[in-house]
Amino acid sequence: MTDIGAPGDGPSRRDFLKATGAGGLAAAAGCTAPSGRDQPTTRQRAMQSQNALPTTSPPEVVNVNEQGGKVTLKTQPAKHEVHPLDTMGGPVELPKVWAFQADDRDPSVPGPILRTTEGEDMEVTLDNTGGKRPHTVHFHGVQKTWKNDGVPTTTGITVKPGEKHTYQIPANVPGTHLYHCHFQTPRHIEMGMFGIFRVDPKGYEPADREYFMTVKEWDSSLSRMMAGESASYNPRKRNPDVFTVNGKSAPRTLHPEDGSPIIVKQGESVRLHMVNGGYMSHPMHIHNHRFQRVEKDGGVVPEAARHDMDVTNIAPAERHTIEFTADAEPGIYLMHCHKVNHVMNGRSYPGGMLNGVVYESAMDTDIFAQLMEYAGYEG
């Protein structure tokens, strides 16, 4: 797992602090930036006093090969801080989610990124012993046996509260895939039960920087209803009001540890695995860079069919892998959904489904320090 930026193969915390000038950033941003954890709002304090749920962490990359091909996914109710500060339309929160937790790691929304290699099959144990609702896990992309499909109505297998079940998931289709709970799917995905499944092809050659990113829109009324608030959710009349990248809304998306900025150096090759975990299409646009789509849903796009672009429209459950060179003037460039009402926190713009391509050499600037103040990063 990368320490800084989006999950993948990014810079370490030491590299980041070196690039930002460490003390200078702390002086510029840390002394004035409100801390979401140190200074909770009145509403957050009230919720915390009523609810002892753990708080989610950012999704981690789990190299299943290094664990002998086995991983346990636990179900864990949790609180999810989308953007915990009062900057830029915040705070934004989902007071209750149903998170996946890999082994002894923290629960996260999206769920952990399960990574393996072509031919290295996985045993995935769904541990619902501490759960209160039935769940399953369905994996997109790879070809598996009928009973391992994770759909209760067609396999007859449901993992009830207090139970465990192990799925045999072959790594026979290289590419970036998706997994999610398939029990009462409209509600369980809306509550956060989804994640990325990556199968590297044999002989895989990584880019200089490689990152994972999941976009999703949320109808927060379900989370609020499950938390006991006065709210009502109807999946047939869904009203999305929260828009996220890797579970966070801007400016929290730019937080180097809690968010997922795409951190680069000039001249580097960048590979970004993008997944849509929601129910709406999202046209994702990168400022000042041209990219090519090289994979879609685990299929390699032939070189003759590739072309330079700056928007890729990702439908629900689709996976797009894009590649570009960090060849712009070093700076901070937005990456966002071009349904611009998705780039908002409530009525506040900008916010929501917005991230950034951040050059390391631009991190020691006043404008970056200002963004870190908005995001709540203290260095």
Side-chain angles (χ1 to χ4, degrees), residues 235-253:
R236 298 297 297 272
K237 297 180 180 180
R238 193 167 173 265
N239 183 29
D241 58 345
V242 174
F243 303 89
T244 63
V245 176
N246 282 342
K248 303 296 180 180
S249 291
R252 196 68 170 184
T253 52

PDB file of all heavy atoms in Angstrom, residues 235-253:
ATOM      1  N   PRO A 235     -35.239   2.924  -2.993  1.00  0.00           N
ATOM      2  CA  PRO A 235     -34.286   2.688  -4.088  1.00  0.00           C
ATOM      3  C   PRO A 235     -34.871   2.976  -5.466  1.00  0.00           C
ATOM      4  O   PRO A 235     -34.117   3.188  -6.421  1.00  0.00           O
ATOM      5  CB  PRO A 235     -33.933   1.203  -3.933  1.00  0.00           C
ATOM      6  CG  PRO A 235     -35.063   0.609  -3.165  1.00  0.00           C
ATOM      7  CD  PRO A 235     -35.555   1.691  -2.259  1.00  0.00           C
ATOM      8  N   ARG A 236     -36.199   3.003  -5.589  1.00  0.00           N
ATOM      9  CA  ARG A 236     -36.816   3.316  -6.879  1.00  0.00           C
ATOM     10  C   ARG A 236     -36.919   4.820  -7.112  1.00  0.00           C
ATOM     11  O   ARG A 236     -37.181   5.262  -8.232  1.00  0.00           O
ATOM     12  CB  ARG A 236     -38.212   2.676  -6.961  1.00  0.00           C
ATOM     13  CG  ARG A 236     -38.226   1.157  -6.876  1.00  0.00           C
ATOM     14  CD  ARG A 236     -37.486   0.538  -8.054  1.00  0.00           C
ATOM     15  NE  ARG A 236     -38.126   0.838  -9.323  1.00  0.00           N
ATOM     16  CZ  ARG A 236     -39.103   0.106  -9.870  1.00  0.00           C
ATOM     17  NH1 ARG A 236     -39.563  -0.964  -9.233  1.00  0.00           N
ATOM     18  NH2 ARG A 236     -39.618   0.440 -11.028  1.00  0.00           N
ATOM     19  N   LYS A 237     -36.749   5.595  -6.040  1.00  0.00           N
ATOM     20  CA  LYS A 237     -36.799   7.054  -6.152  1.00  0.00           C
ATOM     21  C   LYS A 237     -35.537   7.639  -5.514  1.00  0.00           C
ATOM     22  O   LYS A 237     -35.581   8.503  -4.650  1.00  0.00           O
ATOM     23  CB  LYS A 237     -38.044   7.602  -5.476  1.00  0.00           C
ATOM     24  CG  LYS A 237     -39.350   7.132  -6.120  1.00  0.00           C
ATOM     25  CD  LYS A 237     -40.562   7.716  -5.405  1.00  0.00           C
ATOM     26  CE  LYS A 237     -41.858   7.245  -6.044  1.00  0.00           C
ATOM     27  NZ  LYS A 237     -43.051   7.802  -5.353  1.00  0.00           N
ATOM     28  N   ARG A 238     -34.418   7.127  -5.979  1.00  0.00           N
ATOM     29  CA  ARG A 238     -33.126   7.481  -5.400  1.00  0.00           C
ATOM     30  C   ARG A 238     -32.788   8.946  -5.691  1.00  0.00           C
ATOM     31  O   ARG A 238     -33.005   9.444  -6.795  1.00  0.00           O
ATOM     32  CB  ARG A 238     -32.077   6.552  -5.998  1.00  0.00           C
ATOM     33  CG  ARG A 238     -30.724   6.531  -5.339  1.00  0.00           C
ATOM     34  CD  ARG A 238     -29.930   5.339  -5.851  1.00  0.00           C
ATOM     35  NE  ARG A 238     -28.564   5.377  -5.368  1.00  0.00           N
ATOM     36  CZ  ARG A 238     -27.561   5.888  -6.051  1.00  0.00           C
ATOM     37  NH1 ARG A 238     -27.779   6.405  -7.244  1.00  0.00           N
ATOM     38  NH2 ARG A 238     -26.330   5.882  -5.561  1.00  0.00           N
ATOM     39  N   ASN A 239     -32.204   9.628  -4.686  1.00  0.00           N
ATOM     40  CA  ASN A 239     -31.867  11.045  -4.817  1.00  0.00           C
ATOM     41  C   ASN A 239     -30.427  11.259  -4.354  1.00  0.00           C
ATOM     42  O   ASN A 239     -30.179  11.633  -3.203  1.00  0.00           O
ATOM     43  CB  ASN A 239     -32.828  11.901  -3.993  1.00  0.00           C
ATOM     44  CG  ASN A 239     -32.553  13.382  -4.152  1.00  0.00           C
ATOM     45  OD1 ASN A 239     -32.070  13.818  -5.193  1.00  0.00           O
ATOM     46  ND2 ASN A 239     -32.845  14.156  -3.119  1.00  0.00           N
ATOM     47  N   PRO A 240     -29.439  11.031  -5.233  1.00  0.00           N
ATOM     48  CA  PRO A 240     -28.034  11.168  -4.825  1.00  0.00           C
ATOM     49  C   PRO A 240     -27.705  12.591  -4.370  1.00  0.00           C
ATOM     50  O   PRO A 240     -28.056  13.561  -5.033  1.00  0.00           O
ATOM     51  CB  PRO A 240     -27.266  10.806  -6.096  1.00  0.00           C
ATOM     52  CG  PRO A 240     -28.218  10.015  -6.914  1.00  0.00           C
ATOM     53  CD  PRO A 240     -29.567  10.589  -6.628  1.00  0.00           C
ATOM     54  N   ASP A 241     -27.030  12.682  -3.227  1.00  0.00           N
ATOM     55  CA  ASP A 241     -26.657  13.986  -2.680  1.00  0.00           C
ATOM     56  C   ASP A 241     -25.220  14.029  -2.175  1.00  0.00           C
ATOM     57  O   ASP A 241     -24.778  15.060  -1.675  1.00  0.00           O
ATOM     58  CB  ASP A 241     -27.612  14.387  -1.556  1.00  0.00           C
ATOM     59  CG  ASP A 241     -27.658  13.378  -0.420  1.00  0.00           C
ATOM     60  OD1 ASP A 241     -27.191  12.236  -0.603  1.00  0.00           O
ATOM     61  OD2 ASP A 241     -28.168  13.716   0.663  1.00  0.00           O
ATOM     62  N   VAL A 242     -24.490  12.921  -2.303  1.00  0.00           N
ATOM     63  CA  VAL A 242     -23.082  12.858  -1.914  1.00  0.00           C
ATOM     64  C   VAL A 242     -22.320  12.212  -3.068  1.00  0.00           C
ATOM     65  O   VAL A 242     -22.745  11.180  -3.600  1.00  0.00           O
ATOM     66  CB  VAL A 242     -22.885  12.053  -0.615  1.00  0.00           C
ATOM     67  CG1 VAL A 242     -21.404  11.869  -0.298  1.00  0.00           C
ATOM     68  CG2 VAL A 242     -23.600  12.726   0.552  1.00  0.00           C
ATOM     69  N   PHE A 243     -21.167  12.802  -3.450  1.00  0.00           N
ATOM     70  CA  PHE A 243     -20.409  12.347  -4.610  1.00  0.00           C
ATOM     71  C   PHE A 243     -18.943  12.203  -4.210  1.00  0.00           C
ATOM     72  O   PHE A 243     -18.341  13.154  -3.680  1.00  0.00           O
ATOM     73  CB  PHE A 243     -20.575  13.338  -5.765  1.00  0.00           C
ATOM     74  CG  PHE A 243     -22.013  13.558  -6.156  1.00  0.00           C
ATOM     75  CD1 PHE A 243     -22.770  14.559  -5.541  1.00  0.00           C
ATOM     76  CD2 PHE A 243     -22.618  12.741  -7.090  1.00  0.00           C
ATOM     77  CE1 PHE A 243     -24.103  14.750  -5.877  1.00  0.00           C
ATOM     78  CE2 PHE A 243     -23.957  12.920  -7.432  1.00  0.00           C
ATOM     79  CZ  PHE A 243     -24.701  13.923  -6.822  1.00  0.00           C
ATOM     80  N   THR A 244     -18.369  11.021  -4.444  1.00  0.00           N
ATOM     81  CA  THR A 244     -17.073  10.713  -3.857  1.00  0.00           C
ATOM     82  C   THR A 244     -16.080  10.123  -4.844  1.00  0.00           C
ATOM     83  O   THR A 244     -16.446   9.526  -5.862  1.00  0.00           O
ATOM     84  CB  THR A 244     -17.220   9.725  -2.685  1.00  0.00           C
ATOM     85  OG1 THR A 244     -17.747   8.472  -3.173  1.00  0.00           O
ATOM     86  CG2 THR A 244     -18.125  10.271  -1.603  1.00  0.00           C
ATOM     87  N   VAL A 245     -14.806  10.286  -4.510  1.00  0.00           N
ATOM     88  CA  VAL A 245     -13.680   9.597  -5.123  1.00  0.00           C
ATOM     89  C   VAL A 245     -12.983   8.827  -4.008  1.00  0.00           C
ATOM     90  O   VAL A 245     -12.553   9.425  -3.014  1.00  0.00           O
ATOM     91  CB  VAL A 245     -12.697  10.586  -5.780  1.00  0.00           C
ATOM     92  CG1 VAL A 245     -11.486   9.833  -6.334  1.00  0.00           C
ATOM     93  CG2 VAL A 245     -13.376  11.388  -6.873  1.00  0.00           C
ATOM     94  N   ASN A 246     -12.926   7.508  -4.138  1.00  0.00           N
ATOM     95  CA  ASN A 246     -12.388   6.655  -3.072  1.00  0.00           C
ATOM     96  C   ASN A 246     -13.035   6.978  -1.723  1.00  0.00           C
ATOM     97  O   ASN A 246     -12.379   6.990  -0.675  1.00  0.00           O
ATOM     98  CB  ASN A 246     -10.869   6.762  -2.990  1.00  0.00           C
ATOM     99  CG  ASN A 246     -10.179   5.951  -4.071  1.00  0.00           C
ATOM    100  OD1 ASN A 246     -10.777   5.057  -4.671  1.00  0.00           O
ATOM    101  ND2 ASN A 246      -8.922   6.238  -4.335  1.00  0.00           N
ATOM    102  N   GLY A 247     -14.332   7.242  -1.769  1.00  0.00           N
ATOM    103  CA  GLY A 247     -15.102   7.427  -0.543  1.00  0.00           C
ATOM    104  C   GLY A 247     -15.050   8.821   0.048  1.00  0.00           C
ATOM    105  O   GLY A 247     -15.693   9.065   1.072  1.00  0.00           O
ATOM    106  N   LYS A 248     -14.320   9.754  -0.567  1.00  0.00           N
ATOM    107  CA  LYS A 248     -14.188  11.108  -0.027  1.00  0.00           C
ATOM    108  C   LYS A 248     -14.702  12.131  -1.026  1.00  0.00           C
ATOM    109  O   LYS A 248     -14.668  11.923  -2.238  1.00  0.00           O
ATOM    110  CB  LYS A 248     -12.730  11.416   0.313  1.00  0.00           C
ATOM    111  CG  LYS A 248     -12.090  10.435   1.284  1.00  0.00           C
ATOM    112  CD  LYS A 248     -12.748  10.465   2.653  1.00  0.00           C
ATOM    113  CE  LYS A 248     -12.097   9.472   3.608  1.00  0.00           C
ATOM    114  NZ  LYS A 248     -12.716   9.489   4.942  1.00  0.00           N
ATOM    115  N   SER A 249     -15.173  13.268  -0.499  1.00  0.00           N
ATOM    116  CA  SER A 249     -15.555  14.414  -1.314  1.00  0.00           C
ATOM    117  C   SER A 249     -14.505  15.503  -1.175  1.00  0.00           C
ATOM    118  O   SER A 249     -13.896  15.670  -0.111  1.00  0.00           O
ATOM    119  CB  SER A 249     -16.919  14.955  -0.870  1.00  0.00           C
ATOM    120  OG  SER A 249     -17.967  14.059  -1.190  1.00  0.00           O
ATOM    121  N   ALA A 250     -14.321  16.276  -2.245  1.00  0.00           N
ATOM    122  CA  ALA A 250     -13.380  17.399  -2.188  1.00  0.00           C
ATOM    123  C   ALA A 250     -13.855  18.421  -1.145  1.00  0.00           C
ATOM    124  O   ALA A 250     -15.051  18.604  -0.961  1.00  0.00           O
ATOM    125  CB  ALA A 250     -13.284  18.050  -3.560  1.00  0.00           C
ATOM    126  N   PRO A 251     -12.923  19.022  -0.419  1.00  0.00           N
ATOM    127  CA  PRO A 251     -11.473  18.987  -0.612  1.00  0.00           C
ATOM    128  C   PRO A 251     -10.767  17.826   0.085  1.00  0.00           C
ATOM    129  O   PRO A 251      -9.560  17.700  -0.028  1.00  0.00           O
ATOM    130  CB  PRO A 251     -11.032  20.316  -0.005  1.00  0.00           C
ATOM    131  CG  PRO A 251     -11.993  20.517   1.135  1.00  0.00           C
ATOM    132  CD  PRO A 251     -13.321  20.029   0.607  1.00  0.00           C
ATOM    133  N   ARG A 252     -11.527  16.988   0.816  1.00  0.00           N
ATOM    134  CA  ARG A 252     -10.877  15.887   1.534  1.00  0.00           C
ATOM    135  C   ARG A 252     -10.191  14.922   0.577  1.00  0.00           C
ATOM    136  O   ARG A 252      -9.234  14.237   0.950  1.00  0.00           O
ATOM    137  CB  ARG A 252     -11.911  15.139   2.380  1.00  0.00           C
ATOM    138  CG  ARG A 252     -11.301  14.235   3.456  1.00  0.00           C
ATOM    139  CD  ARG A 252     -10.616  15.035   4.550  1.00  0.00           C
ATOM    140  NE  ARG A 252     -10.232  14.215   5.691  1.00  0.00           N
ATOM    141  CZ  ARG A 252      -9.692  14.689   6.804  1.00  0.00           C
ATOM    142  NH1 ARG A 252      -9.448  15.972   6.920  1.00  0.00           N
ATOM    143  NH2 ARG A 252      -9.382  13.883   7.810  1.00  0.00           N
ATOM    144  N   THR A 253     -10.654  14.851  -0.681  1.00  0.00           N
ATOM    145  CA  THR A 253     -10.009  13.996  -1.675  1.00  0.00           C
ATOM    146  C   THR A 253      -8.546  14.356  -1.870  1.00  0.00           C
ATOM    147  O   THR A 253      -7.742  13.503  -2.259  1.00  0.00           O
ATOM    148  CB  THR A 253     -10.725  14.122  -3.023  1.00  0.00           C
ATOM    149  OG1 THR A 253     -10.820  15.507  -3.373  1.00  0.00           O
ATOM    150  CG2 THR A 253     -12.116  13.502  -2.983  1.00  0.00           C
TER     151      THR A 253
END
